[in-house]
Amino acid sequence: MSDLDGKVILITGGAGGIGTASCQVLAGAGAKLVISDIAVEAGQAIADAICSKGGEAIFMRADLSSEEAIEALVDRTVSHFGRIDGAFNNAGLEQHNTSIDQLSLAQWNAVMQIDLTAVFLCIKHQARAMLANGGGAIVNTASGLGQIAIPNAGEYVAAKHGVIGVTRAAAADFGAKGIRVNAILPGIVRTPMIERLSQDPAFSGHIDGLRKRHMMQRFAEPTEIGEAARWLLSDRASFVNGIALAVDGGALAN
Ligand SMILES: NC(=O)c1ccc[n+]([C@@H]2O[C@H](COP(=O)([O-])OP(=O)(O)OC[C@H]3O[C@@H](n4cnc5c(N)ncnc54)[C@H](O)[C@@H]3O)[C@@H](O)[C@H]2O)c1
């Protein structure tokens, strides 16, 4: 028996770098997945690939800027699989690579909406459904930038600090009611987000410094984040609640 056998898990940002790898890890551990993203073709392809290997997964498009879409996503999870045991709130947008004095309110709001407000809304509706079936586990993707800052990333740094805050707040709200809520703080991970950021000198100028800060002198592979999510979503982490788990090769310890 595998550690997520039969557990119904919803993942957002499932078509992205960390999301795709995490879908494979979670399905490999026996989870039944609801995979969500705005990238329909890529998301459907991941669900199809999991099903073709004998796993259980469906894809549902949901734009996390809408509370109605988030509520519908949770409802579909429960109507399709009968329950929701876990959620990996992983979707996110990168910063605009601009210092705060040049950052527009629209840029600030765009990142706060997806990287923080959507995490709150996901937790809200997931917790309602989990309370109805006796509990569950929620994992939110924050970042090392939830604890430290780099230049030209004010809206992202603020949002990711907020993800750690709402994770702890939710852990306090639901800890006695059977729902554990934790955050993962990835270091730099090889994904399309980092490829996009690296095109901009305002970010790429920091890449060497960031690599050196990772004590292991390399960046993460996306599956290494998925493995941490697998553990936190499983009953093996039954007394782990409200933590900000760095999965960063020692970057935050440096
Ligand atoms: N890559 C890194 O180095 C790194 C480091 C720390 C934290 N993170 C965080 O990890 C998470 C995953 O990042 P990634 O590197 O895999 O990025 P990615 O860009 O490869 O994937 C992000 C996914 O989120 C989806 N998404 C964006 N806006 C959405 C919306 N409105 N509704 C639904 N889905 C939406 C995208 O379509 C994409 O598939 C993010 O929260 C990111 O902030 C990444």
Side-chain angles (χ1 to χ4, degrees), residues 10-143:
L10 167 60
I11 175 168
T12 70
I18 292 172
T20 299
S22 297
C23 286
Q24 286 154 356
V25 169
L26 300 177
K32 301 176 187 178
L33 293 182
V34 175
I35 300 167
S36 184
D37 207 291
I38 44 173
V40 174
E41 261 182 48
Q44 186 63 56
I46 295 151
D48 292 346
I50 288 168
C51 293
S52 72
K53 287 184 196 153
E56 279 189 72
I58 59 167
F59 173 77
M60 180 174 170
R61 183 188 189 279
D63 183 338
L64 302 178
S65 59
S66 150
E67 179 167 9
E68 290 70 33
I70 291 170
E71 190 173 8
L73 179 61
V74 175
D75 287 351
R76 173 91 191 278
T77 304
V78 174
S79 66
H80 186 86
F81 284 119
R83 53 188 291 121
I84 176 170
D85 301 299
F88 186 21
N89 298 319
N90 164 74
L93 286 179
E94 64 270 34
Q95 67 271 21
H96 294 83
N97 289 326
T98 302
S99 60
I100 287 173
D101 58 311
Q102 301 299 319
L103 189 67
S104 71
L105 180 59
Q107 290 173 321
W108 168 273
N109 283 340
V111 170
M112 292 302 278
Q113 181 72 43
I114 301 306
D115 288 9
L116 181 55
T117 304
V119 175
F120 147 63
L121 291 171
C122 282
I123 295 171
K124 171 180 168 179
H125 291 284
Q126 291 157 358
R128 286 181 178 182
M130 287 176 184
L131 288 170
N133 68 19
I138 297 174
V139 176
N140 303 314
T141 306
S143 167

